[in-house]
Amino acid sequence: MNPKLMLDIFKTSLLARRFEARVIQMAMAGELPGSLHAGAGQEVCQIAAITAMNKDDYILYGHRGVAYMIARGTSLTAILADIAGKEGATSRGKGGVMHVVDVPHGILGESGTLGGGFVISVGVGMALKRRYPGRVVTYFFGDGTSNRGTFHESLNWAAVQKLPCIYFCENNGYAVSVPTSTSTAVPDISARAAGYGVPGVVVDGNDAAAVYEVMQKAVERARAGHGPTLIEAKVTRLFGHYIADQQTYRPDAATVIATKDPLPKLQQTLVNAGVLNDTLLAQLEADAQRQIEEAVATVKAAPLLAPETALQDLYA
Amino acid sequence: MSVITYSKAINQALAEEMERDENVILYGQDVAVWGGIFKVTEGLRDRFGPERVFDSPISENVMVGAGVGAAMMGLRPVVELQFADFIFTAGDEVFLKAGMWRFMHGGAYKVPLVIRAPSGGSGFGPEHSACPEAFIMHAPGLLCAVPSTPADAKGLLKEAIRLDNPVVYFEHKLLYAMRGEVPDGEYTTPFGKAVVRREGDALTIVAWQDMLRRTLAAANRLSKDGIEVEVIDPRTLNPFDRETIIESVKKTGACMVVEEAYRTLGVGAEIGALLLEHALPYLDKPFKRLAIPDVPLPTSQHLVNFIVPSEEDIYKAVKELVA
Ligand SMILES: Cc1ncc(C[n+]2csc(CCOP(=O)(O)OP(=O)(O)O)c2C)c(N)n1
Ligand SMILES: [Mg+2]
């Protein structure tokens, strides 16, 4: 894989990680609502997948972090305003951190009911096929979410109509506290693709190049009118389900951060490839820091959304 | 004017709107090749092709949810649920997605979706006979049409397809064969404008669809007894024309709602509350509801007849009220 592209993925992952850390810190200090589901550990995978899509493609996403939006180009200020309920929030106080929306950047939103995005993405696929042939839509969802009926109904539909829909499962082994082995009859979510006559692929979600490659194939297939691919990326949720989750159900919680984090691994790969060194890394860190603090300052200064906003945006 | 059936009126509305706007698509189970189980969509696939009119899998969640997704992206999908009861099968997609996605995403897109829901027609059993419009009226974000004549069936559906908000359009199964005059040429019927179907001063009755038909039949009999009731057809439940009802009650001083649905928290309950808030000084008789006594609809016809308000029930209730 092109090292320049890998470096971009690293850069965005670093920004997402640092931004999320700042949000968590502010939430712990009571300065922001603590409604975030940390994406730490899964950003590299999410960003690598998005990098394999074009700017005019679309995504629907799950609740795990905000790297998707950062990768697509939504400003940190907008995301932070969503979390804070401030002027500038993309959903104008209606959706918060979980429903950041940015149609010009191809971000169509998130379903609060897990798996609601499957059925929406089928419709988006139907519209793309008719109105913008060649464009694709990807729905990012968790392993637990693949047990919703909408997964099955929609994959059948997308397959029979050969819609340009990509199913991207981030299997982190847990749905809140419940391990996948307890809730799910097959070890690999991707095996379910067979029931719908579409390719099912497993990939190491900690390997940015591998994710990029399988995603590229899926995107090509969808663009060519051959229909969906079910990708299952095996990833690691570094932290708890939500910010204050003590993870009493997770025996390896203490060691997971030290051993399973894909970010240092990607960093090392880039150093080995000769595209990253200490000077550049320090510069990337400083850049991220500056962008984050700018966003924090802007949002702190922004007014709260007017309460009457609650009465707006229902009807067109 | 030409005289056509309610079901033909729906078919014409679909054909005209599909002709006018290539973004209108139509799908549902059996709607394409066969023309729908109630034969409402006959001929549309041949005319507009399988890309725009297609048979869908038995996947109600996707049927409605994909309608939302496609609408967000600029199509104007018309989805036929085989029975209105299946609104609950697709509950997430109807109430949370069609009703709320625009709101939850701060107005980032429009959702011009029409869900066609064949309702009523008692005798199909508890899961195929309901008139669940009160649930829709209760839910924020969903417009709701309840056409009672062929002319309104056509005009309201054409309007529903053109509106930029999601509409649940109830078509009553017992009205499909009803014949009536339909204006020639292009027209739409606005949402939120009730119509007075019959003028009178003894009592205001609000009813729609098959209950309206029964009410008008009862009103004819009452007229022979010298009792003139005023009959209001709301035409849409969201938006809901409160003014027309309040104005009528100011004149008649009494109100009854006839409803082919469960009594508790039905549309009638809403109208009762409306009158308490806005017309209490004008009411000189108790507010009255005729509705289904909070049981599901059975299948055997004589059981159905026992619980659904009949022409006779309406006639008697008015007699008692104005006595
Ligand atoms: C329909 C529905 N059921 C339950 C929930 C509550 N819930 C939110 S996240 C979550 C776990 C999801 O697990 P998974 O899909 O594996 O994603 P992960 O959190 O691991 O990223 C649950 C149960 C919900 N939001 N919607
Ligand atoms: Mg999971």
Side-chain angles (χ1 to χ4, degrees):
Chain A
M1 187 189 172
N2 173 346
K4 163 80 181 63
L5 220 49
M6 288 266 262
L7 185 61
D8 280 347
I9 293 170
F10 177 74
K11 208 167 113 182
T12 313
S13 302
L14 189 74
L15 178 61
R17 177 72 62 89
R18 299 293 179 257
F19 178 67
E20 185 174 274
R22 184 75 164 99
V23 170
I24 293 171
Q25 180 240 322
M26 288 173 78
M28 301 291 261
E31 294 176 61
L32 286 177
S35 44
L36 178 83
H37 298 83
Q42 299 182 207
E43 322 91 322
V44 169
C45 173
Q46 295 164 349
I47 294 165
I50 285 176
T51 305
M53 301 174 74
N54 287 347
K55 290 261 174 268
D56 61 0
D57 291 327
Y58 291 91
I59 69 158
L60 290 147
Y61 57 93
H63 52 279
R64 190 118 327 269
V66 293
Y68 311 102
M69 304 75 162
I70 296 175
R72 292 295 303 207
T74 307
S75 75
L76 299 185
T77 310
I79 299 170
L80 208 52
D82 270 316
I83 302 175
K86 294 276 186 93
E87 207 57 68
T90 68
S91 74
R92 298 174 33 81
K94 319 304 174 34
V97 66
M98 240 99 75
H99 305 281
V100 175
V101 63
D102 184 353
V103 178
H105 285 105
I107 299 171
L108 297 175
E110 194 249 355
S111 173
T113 53
L114 294 169
F118 290 119
V119 296
I120 303 280
S121 89
V122 165
V124 172
M126 280 166 31
L128 293 181
K129 192 174 166 184
R130 247 194 97 65
R131 304 192 75 205
Y132 310 105
R135 295 198 200 175
V136 306
V137 56
T138 302
Y139 179 41
F140 293 88
F141 59 97
D143 47 288
T145 303
S146 77
N147 289 326
R148 281 293 319 279
T150 49
F151 168 85
H152 300 272
E153 283 200 10
S154 70
L155 189 47
N156 174 66
W157 184 310
V160 74
Q161 296 194 352
K162 299 211 181 323
L163 299 178
C165 299
I166 294 155
Y167 283 60
F168 197 102
C169 178
E170 297 169 49
N171 185 349
N172 60 14
Y174 283 94
V176 190
S177 69
V178 181
T180 313
S181 55
T182 305
S183 65
T184 306
V186 286
D188 291 334
I189 307 299
S190 59
R192 292 174 161 172
Y196 306 100
V198 303
V201 195
V202 183
V203 63
D204 175 0
N206 290 345
D207 181 340
V211 170
Y212 182 84
E213 218 169 278
V214 297
M215 187 63 179
Q216 229 181 2
K217 272 201 195 123
V219 168
E220 266 170 36
R221 183 181 147 84
R223 283 202 209 294
H226 301 311
T229 301
L230 171 59
I231 297 172
E232 174 187 9
K234 306 277 192 192
V235 293
T236 307
R237 191 186 85 194
L238 287 187
F239 303 155
H241 176 67
Y242 53 90
I243 290 181
D245 180 3
Q246 297 302 313
Q247 301 197 84
T248 49
Y249 52 84
R250 198 173 179 190
D252 63 345
T255 56
V256 110
I257 298 173
T259 58
K260 299 272 184 63
D261 188 348
L263 205 55
K265 184 184 154 196
L266 180 56
Q267 185 179 318
Q268 193 55 51
T269 310
L270 291 168
V271 170
N272 295 347
V275 290
L276 184 63
N277 54 35
D278 287 350
T279 323
L280 181 53
L281 185 61
Q283 193 190 318
L284 294 181
E285 290 277 14
D287 260 12
Q289 180 83 4
R290 182 187 45 76
Q291 289 182 61
I292 293 163
E293 291 317 315
E294 266 176 31
V296 169
T298 309
V299 172
K300 275 190 174 163
L304 278 171
L305 287 157
E308 294 74 22
T309 314
L311 304 177
Q312 299 162 359
D313 302 319
L314 183 59
Y315 298 105
Chain B
M1 290 278 182
S2 48
V3 174
I4 59 173
T5 61
Y6 184 93
S7 107
K8 181 69 186 168
I10 295 170
N11 185 287
Q12 279 186 4
L14 291 168
E16 288 179 17
E17 292 309 296
M18 292 192 80
E19 191 65 59
R20 193 184 56 81
D21 182 352
E22 62 170 21
N23 287 317
V24 179
I25 60 168
L26 168 71
Y27 60 88
Q29 289 144 32
D30 305 294
V31 300
V33 175
W34 201 40
I37 55 166
F38 298 112
K39 296 285 169 210
V40 173
T41 56
E42 260 178 337
L44 297 176
R45 176 186 181 267
D46 289 346
R47 184 157 164 200
F48 298 103
E51 293 295 319
R52 292 181 66 194
V53 180
F54 56 88
D55 290 318
S56 76
I58 303 170
S59 302
E60 279 72 16
N61 301 83
V62 187
M63 288 165 68
V64 177
V68 175
M72 281 161 50
M73 298 301 293
L75 294 184
R76 291 186 174 269
V78 178
V79 180
E80 177 181 310
L81 292 176
Q82 260 178 358
F83 292 88
D85 314 69
F86 303 167
I87 282 169
F88 301 105
T89 315
D92 185 347
E93 287 70 26
V94 172
F95 295 102
L96 309 184
K97 299 297 175 287
M100 299 186 191
W101 254 47
R102 175 185 157 79
F103 178 84
M104 188 167 71
H105 293 104
Y109 25 69
K110 298 167 181 167
V111 184
L113 165 70
V114 177
I115 300 167
R116 292 179 37 233
S119 60
S122 323
F124 289 75
E127 295 171 328
H128 291 74
S129 303
C131 289
E133 48 260 26
F135 291 88
I136 301 299
M137 189 187 193
H138 183 67
L142 298 170
L143 305 187
C144 179
V146 284
S148 302
T149 65
D152 279 356
K154 182 170 176 180
L156 287 171
L157 183 52
K158 283 168 68 78
E159 178 73 3
I161 292 170
R162 294 181 195 193
L163 286 171
D164 282 333
N165 292 303
V167 177
V168 182
Y169 174 94
F170 288 99
E171 36 194 74
H172 198 288
K173 299 199 277 296
L174 294 184
L175 298 189
Y176 277 138
M178 171 199 251
R179 299 175 68 78
E181 283 190 342
V182 171
D184 296 321
E186 182 59 38
Y187 77 98
T188 60
T189 305
F191 275 43
K193 294 235 179 321
V195 59
V196 178
R197 293 286 178 199
R198 180 183 181 113
E199 287 190 21
D201 53 12
L203 166 75
T204 300
I205 304 182
V206 184
W208 56 98
Q209 299 197 315
D210 199 39
M211 293 300 106
L212 174 65
R213 187 157 67 167
R214 294 177 191 199
T215 298
L216 289 172
N220 274 335
R221 278 175 66 192
L222 289 160
S223 176
K224 291 184 185 115
D225 300 347
I227 300 167
E228 295 299 339
V229 295
E230 181 140 304
V231 181
I232 294 177
D233 170 5
R235 298 209 277 202
T236 60
L237 299 178
N238 183 22
F240 190 56
D241 183 354
R242 295 172 170 82
E243 276 314 300
T244 298
I245 295 172
I246 292 169
E247 285 312 308
S248 173
V249 168
K250 285 183 180 173
K251 180 174 81 176
T252 62
C255 183
M256 179 165 102
V257 178
V258 190
E259 186 168 6
E260 188 179 338
Y262 319 127
R263 179 185 184 83
T264 299
L265 289 179
V267 178
E270 175 60 24
I271 294 173
L274 175 78
L275 296 178
L276 277 177
E277 283 178 326
H278 299 287
L280 189 56
Y282 302 94
L283 280 173
D284 41 49
K285 296 194 179 69
F287 173 72
K288 173 91 183 158
R289 283 177 288 172
L290 289 185
I292 295 174
D294 293 341
V295 291
L297 282 148
T299 301
S300 290
Q301 194 61 50
H302 64 294
L303 302 190
V304 172
N305 294 346
F306 184 69
I307 59 167
V308 175
S310 64
E311 180 192 323
E312 184 66 17
D313 294 335
I314 300 165
Y315 175 82
K316 277 191 188 148
V318 173
K319 283 284 222 184
E320 266 172 42
L321 214 57
V322 301

